[in-house]
Amino acid sequence: MAIFYPDILDQKTAPRTFTYGDKDVMLYALGVGMGQDPMNETELPFVYEKNLKVIPTAATVLASGLRGSAGPAPEMPAGHRPSQINFLMVVHGEQKVELHKPLTAHGTYTAQGRTAGAFDKGEGKGAVIINETIWTDEKGEKVATLTGSTFARGDGGFGGPSEGAPEPHVVPTRAPDLSVDFTTREDQALLYRLNGDRNPLHSDPDVAKRAGFPRPILHGLCTYGITCRAVLQAITDFDPDQILSHQARFSAPVFPGDTITVDLWKDGKNISFEARVKERGATVIKNGLTVLR
């Protein structure tokens, strides 16, 4: 397997149309822990179809029906060499959701993805690949831009640039302005995986042990969604339409049952955040930034 540079920058997916509905929106909210208390009327609108609200980070899963387990096959212009990444050595590094319009409770959109960048850390040191997916509506107007980076541990030394990758957001050095705790359920990964990510690392104890974990781990994008819950609860009074973008870097795994503490810093429309599991002294999300409208 090899990464061919700069050919990899011409990789893109064919435009694909997808539809989601209220069931998908509510399943995502349940998957990131909303609705554990059915009498909590501030969270109920995210898990009940009456006046349904959408968590902004649901954009990471609502188009999952249009991809298989290996993702959509890239297209390449004639004469270019397709790059092949060793996906067994890939780790999700960062994720950003930017909403050009607030998400609705149901909709039909077209998504198209491309490789937006590839950065070489050197032979034996891996590579950083940046992918971008844009949603457009039936008028051709942008609805959402999803940007994610992956760290390909086995693909360094391909001859691409070593500098120029986007720098992570730097959180303030002062004490957090707010902190909120969320206790995850023991079965949270089993519920969250129904949103589309059925990687057995999150459900099969034997697979988890072979990967070096004592038990299945929580999806990183589930933890990412929980940090968005924190912003909704602590900053926007559960109004998702106030959120323009939400981005973060993954730094350590969460185990179902862990209590996640999300620390937040408010500076105007910029909300910085990090997440940690106090019991293990682990920071699980770093360099987080939510931008409000």
Side-chain angles (χ1 to χ4, degrees):
M1 294 186 180
I3 293 176
F4 297 112
Y5 190 87
D7 298 31
I8 190 172
L9 301 181
D10 292 314
Q11 287 187 329
K12 62 181 181 179
T13 62
R16 301 192 184 190
T17 299
F18 66 96
T19 298
Y20 68 83
D22 60 0
K23 179 180 177 180
D24 305 295
V25 168
M26 292 185 285
L27 180 61
Y28 177 80
L30 290 168
V32 299
M34 287 277 201
Q36 290 188 38
D37 177 2
M39 296 300 291
N40 182 341
E41 295 187 8
T42 58
E43 292 189 354
L44 191 61
F46 293 90
V47 295
Y48 174 39
E49 61 271 19
K50 182 180 178 181
N51 301 318
L52 185 61
K53 296 180 180 181
V54 186
I55 300 174
T57 50
T60 57
V61 304
L62 291 176
S64 62
L66 54 75
R67 64 176 181 269
S69 59
E75 296 178 335
M76 295 287 292
H80 286 244
R81 297 171 294 176
S83 296
Q84 299 293 328
I85 296 171
N86 183 354
F87 286 100
L88 294 176
M89 298 288 284
V90 162
V91 176
H92 197 163
E94 299 177 64
Q95 182 66 51
K96 178 180 180 180
V97 170
E98 181 178 5
L99 299 178
H100 309 288
K101 302 178 180 180
L103 293 179
T104 56
H106 53 81
T108 298
Y109 302 106
T110 298
Q112 182 168 23
R114 70 184 182 97
T115 301
F119 301 92
D120 192 351
K121 297 302 181 182
E123 186 71 34
K125 297 180 180 180
V128 175
I129 311 298
I130 299 175
N131 295 295
E132 176 189 86
T133 300
I134 294 176
W135 294 10
T136 53
D137 60 19
E138 294 172 340
K139 298 179 181 178
E141 297 176 349
K142 281 187 182 181
V143 174
T145 299
L146 282 66
T147 307
S149 74
T150 55
F151 180 56
R153 293 175 292 168
D155 293 286
F158 63 88
S162 60
E163 304 293 335
E167 292 294 329
H169 171 69
V170 178
V171 303
T173 56
R174 68 180 187 269
D177 299 322
L178 295 162
S179 296
V180 288
D181 292 338
F182 298 97
T183 299
T184 60
R185 295 161 46 117
E186 295 285 347
D187 61 353
Q188 190 127 10
L190 296 176
L191 177 59
Y192 183 86
R193 70 192 297 268
L194 299 181
N195 287 289
D197 184 349
R198 300 206 179 186
N199 185 334
L201 178 63
H202 308 293
S203 57
D204 190 320
D206 289 336
V207 172
K209 287 177 182 177
R210 290 200 298 272
F213 298 106
R215 56 176 296 184
I217 64 174
L218 194 62
H219 303 69
L221 284 177
C222 182
T223 306
Y224 174 73
I226 289 171
T227 62
C228 191
R229 276 185 68 196
V231 175
L232 288 169
Q233 176 178 310
I235 304 295
T236 74
D237 194 26
F238 291 94
D239 179 6
D241 292 352
Q242 291 187 36
I243 294 178
L244 172 64
S245 65
H246 189 82
Q247 68 187 67
R249 172 174 287 195
F250 304 100
S251 54
V254 171
F255 294 98
D258 280 346
T259 295
I260 299 171
T261 298
V262 183
D263 299 319
L264 303 112
W265 294 263
K266 191 174 191 302
D267 294 289
K269 293 185 178 296
N270 289 346
I271 312 300
S272 302
F273 64 88
E274 291 195 336
R276 53 197 167 90
V277 176
K278 289 184 287 189
E279 295 89 343
R280 292 190 283 110
T283 299
V284 297
I285 292 284
K286 292 183 176 180
N287 308 110
L289 174 65
T290 301
V291 178
L292 305 180
R293 297 184 188 278

